[in-house]
Amino acid sequence: MNHEKHDKISGLRKVADFSEGLTSLIAGSYVLTLAVTKRNIALRIALGITAGYLILRSGGKLHSGSMEEE
């Protein structure tokens, strides 16, 4: 019984990590398109750094949320 509960919690954690990673990827892509379209160089740099962080973070979250067995 305890093993089943652990499996359910682990599955929910993986789903949460995967959805958070997907959200970060979408947000990072959107911020990156904003960075490309802006004229102000300082704003472009700030948005580019933020986009890079979100996209890199999404990779870790998507990986930890994958349904592969370790």
Side-chain angles (χ1 to χ4, degrees):
M1 183 71 154
N2 194 17
H3 183 66
E4 290 175 12
K5 185 177 179 181
H6 180 267
D7 287 345
K8 287 180 184 178
I9 291 172
S10 178
L12 288 173
R13 185 175 296 128
K14 286 185 178 205
V15 169
D17 283 345
F18 185 80
S19 63
E20 188 177 344
L22 191 58
T23 303
S24 289
L25 181 61
I26 293 168
S29 299
Y30 176 71
V31 172
L32 188 60
T33 60
L34 287 177
V36 171
T37 61
K38 299 298 178 188
R39 288 193 175 278
N40 185 336
I41 191 70
L43 185 59
R44 289 178 89 169
I45 291 170
L47 288 172
I49 291 170
T50 303
Y53 168 77
L54 287 169
I55 291 170
L56 287 174
R57 181 177 182 272
S58 72
K61 288 291 184 175
L62 287 171
H63 180 70
S64 68
S66 69
M67 295 298 177
E68 296 176 358
E69 292 295 322
E70 286 131 25

